[in-house]
């Protein structure tokens, strides 16, 4: 029998790629999104990509009455919860809005799930719950901490999930700690589309390659890393999407949850990413060295062993694939804007 999944935040960057992966894996999926951080045409693009009608509910996960109606109407077997606010800098300026949306959203959703008798949940957590001093490669057992309000919301959400699990054995929750998602779907139809000047490295480099921004600032070249620039574990968004399919499968088959890293286990420096992107795009990527960004860790990368052991997950795509797919998406977007 086809299992039915509610995808909150399914019009967003990771949510839209996961939608495609879940449909391809045979699940019946409904998107719930308030479009606060996603383009209105994402469902149309998904229809084009998958050649089928997409079911989208426009709504807010803080709206309990709406959630109750949605659960009453659809017989969901599980929920994948992406809907949240994710900009670290914005969270420092507006901590209360982040607490409300990320923590309030999870609590409201879990209450509605409980009332509807739906107890399987996949939750988008983040490597930000490890803070900046974890031993490398970072294992799930590393002590948790946070460096900003956004990271704090993810840590509190994980604690809320743990306490809820302890209170009721019917819950089975997959907590997925993403490292640095980048890249886009190979179709060129969906990808990351940040409004304004991007905060994150790869979307920024993409705009430099496309000529929208003049150069990239490297935030620090005096870190204790091989070339002095910051090291991160970049993971292709399509690999990440597949991780959600495996997480759900495990919840259905094992009937119990898991807390796992989703990363490649391989770190790349800022200079390595710039060089890989220049190669993928065939464009020059001018850069200058700027001071360190406050709060940045020198290096973070995952120990991916537990995700492999528990879910059978391992990343398929390398940095070249990530850059090529990003460039494909960015250049396709630019062409359609020019047309
Ligand atoms: P995104 O902003 O592209 O997607 C989030 C989606 O949720 C958007 O479509 C937005 O409109 C929607 N949304 C936000 N608040 C909502 C609400 N109250 N009700 C309904 N919809 C709402 O972000 P993303 O990069 O796809 O991230 C998805 C999840 O993964 C988030 O929980 C984020 O914190 C987490 N995460 C992201 C990263 C990353 O680098 N992108 C890393 C680690 C964890
Ligand atoms: N970075 C940079 N210039 C930028 C944006 C990011 O040098 O314009 C660096 C940043 O210091 C870090 C890496 O790129 O070492 C990844 O940063 P990002 O914001 O993408 O991810 P996060 O720091 O949240 O892991």
């Amino acid at each position: 029998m086809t299992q039915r999944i509610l995808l909150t935040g399914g019009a967003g960057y990771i949510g839209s790629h996961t939608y495609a992966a879940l449909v391809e894996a045979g699940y019946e999926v409904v998107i719930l999104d308030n479009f606060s951080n996603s383009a209105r045409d994402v469902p149309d693009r998904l229809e084009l990509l998958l050649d089928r009608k997409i079911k989208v509910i426009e709504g807010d996960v803080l709206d309990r009455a709406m959630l109750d109606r949605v659960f009453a109407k659809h017989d969901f077997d599980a929920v994948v919860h992406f809907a949240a606010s994710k900009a670290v800098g914005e969270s420092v300026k507006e901590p209360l809005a982040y607490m409300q949306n990320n923590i309030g959203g999870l609590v409201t959703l879990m209450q509605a799930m409980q009332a509807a008798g739906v107890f399987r949940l996949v939750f988008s957590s983040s490597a930000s719950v490890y803070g900046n001093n974890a031993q490398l490669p970072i294992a799930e057992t590393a002590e948790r901490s946070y460096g900003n309000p956004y990271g704090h919301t993810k840590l509190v959400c994980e604690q809320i999930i743990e306490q809820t699990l302890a209170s009721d054995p019917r819950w089975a929750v997959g907590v997925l700690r993403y490292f640095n998602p980048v890249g886009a779907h190979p179709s060129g139809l969906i990808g990351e589309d940040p409004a304004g000047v991007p905060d994150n490295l790869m979307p920024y480099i993409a705009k430099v390659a496309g000529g929208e921004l003049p150069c990239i600032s490297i935030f620090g070249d005096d870190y204790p890393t091989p070339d002095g620039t910051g090291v991160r574990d970049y993971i292709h968004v399509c690999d990440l999407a597949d991780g959600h399919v495996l997480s759900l499968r495990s919840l259905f088959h094992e009937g119990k949850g898991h807390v796992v890293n989703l990363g490649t286990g391989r770190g790349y420096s800022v200079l390595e990413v710039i060089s890989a992107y220049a190669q993928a795009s065939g464009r020059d990527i001018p850069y200058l060295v700027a001071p360190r960004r406050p709060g940045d860790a020198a290096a973070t990368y995952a120990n991916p062993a537990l995700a492999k052991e528990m879910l059978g997950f391992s990343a398929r795509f390398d940095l070249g694939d990530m850059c090529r797919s990003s460039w494909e998406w960015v250049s396709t977007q630019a062409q359609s804007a020019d047309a």
Side-chain angles (χ1 to χ4, degrees), residues 9 11-17 33-34 36-39 81-95 97-103 123-129 148-154 157 178-183 191-204 237 240 293 329:
Y13 172 45
I14 305 169
S16 56
H17 290 78
D33 203 299
N34 66 1
S36 57
N37 197 40
S38 41
H81 180 46
F82 292 106
S85 309
K86 65 164 178 178
V88 170
E90 187 181 54
S91 80
V92 175
K93 292 190 198 111
E94 298 172 40
Y98 270 64
M99 303 294 161
Q100 182 182 31
N101 204 36
N102 295 6
I103 300 172
F123 174 70
S124 299
S125 191
S126 162
S128 63
V129 299
N148 52 65
Y150 167 74
H152 192 190
T153 66
K154 291 292 172 185
C157 284
Y178 313 154
F179 278 70
N180 291 54
V182 294
E192 190 172 17
D193 198 7
V197 177
D199 290 324
N200 297 113
L201 181 67
M202 196 170 289
Y204 201 112
V237 66
L240 200 61
R293 184 170 65 179
W329 158 248

Side-chain angles (χ1 to χ4, degrees), residues 7-246:
L7 212 63
T8 76
Y13 172 45
I14 305 169
S16 56
H17 290 78
T18 302
Y19 182 92
L22 288 172
V23 167
E24 276 157 10
Y27 291 102
E28 201 177 301
V29 192
V30 175
I31 289 176
L32 172 75
D33 203 299
N34 66 1
F35 292 91
S36 57
N37 197 40
S38 41
R40 292 270 162 191
D41 67 352
V42 170
D44 296 340
R45 288 165 171 273
L46 285 170
E47 287 194 351
L48 211 58
L49 176 65
L50 297 160
D51 193 23
R52 66 170 66 200
K53 275 244 81 40
I54 307 289
K55 207 170 248 169
V56 183
I57 299 164
E58 180 164 351
D60 196 302
V61 288
L62 290 162
D63 182 346
R64 173 66 195 273
M66 177 277 299
L67 288 177
D68 287 344
R69 286 195 301 277
V70 167
F71 280 107
K73 181 164 174 207
H74 302 267
D75 195 9
F76 289 118
D77 298 292
V79 178
V80 182
H81 180 46
F82 292 106
S85 309
K86 65 164 178 178
V88 170
E90 187 181 54
S91 80
V92 175
K93 292 190 198 111
E94 298 172 40
L96 293 175
Y98 270 64
M99 303 294 161
Q100 182 182 31
N101 204 36
N102 295 6
I103 300 172
L106 176 73
V107 171
T108 311
L109 175 69
M110 288 184 85
Q111 283 175 325
M113 288 174 67
Q114 196 165 41
V118 180
F119 290 101
R120 293 183 196 97
L121 171 68
V122 177
F123 174 70
S124 299
S125 191
S126 162
S128 63
V129 299
Y130 293 123
N132 280 354
N133 298 316
Q135 199 190 321
L136 298 171
I138 305 176
E140 290 79 355
T141 47
E143 201 180 319
R144 287 177 298 185
S145 73
Y146 60 88
N148 52 65
Y150 167 74
H152 192 190
T153 66
K154 291 292 172 185
L155 200 158
V156 171
C157 284
E158 285 199 0
Q159 291 167 330
I160 288 168
I161 288 168
E162 285 155 19
Q163 287 158 15
T164 307
L165 287 173
S167 75
D168 186 338
R170 287 174 297 175
W171 283 98
V173 182
V175 173
L176 306 182
R177 294 178 179 157
Y178 313 154
F179 278 70
N180 291 54
V182 294
H185 196 273
S187 63
L189 283 167
I190 50 172
E192 190 172 17
D193 198 7
V197 177
D199 290 324
N200 297 113
L201 181 67
M202 196 170 289
Y204 201 112
I205 293 177
K207 287 201 189 266
V208 175
E212 266 185 71
L213 293 168
C215 82
I216 172 93
S217 299
I218 297 179
F219 297 147
D221 68 351
D222 56 354
Y223 282 109
T225 59
D227 64 21
T229 67
V231 166
R232 295 290 182 277
D233 185 340
Y234 298 94
I235 175 167
H236 196 300
V237 66
C238 291
D239 275 330
L240 200 61
D242 290 344
H244 292 73
V245 176
L246 295 172

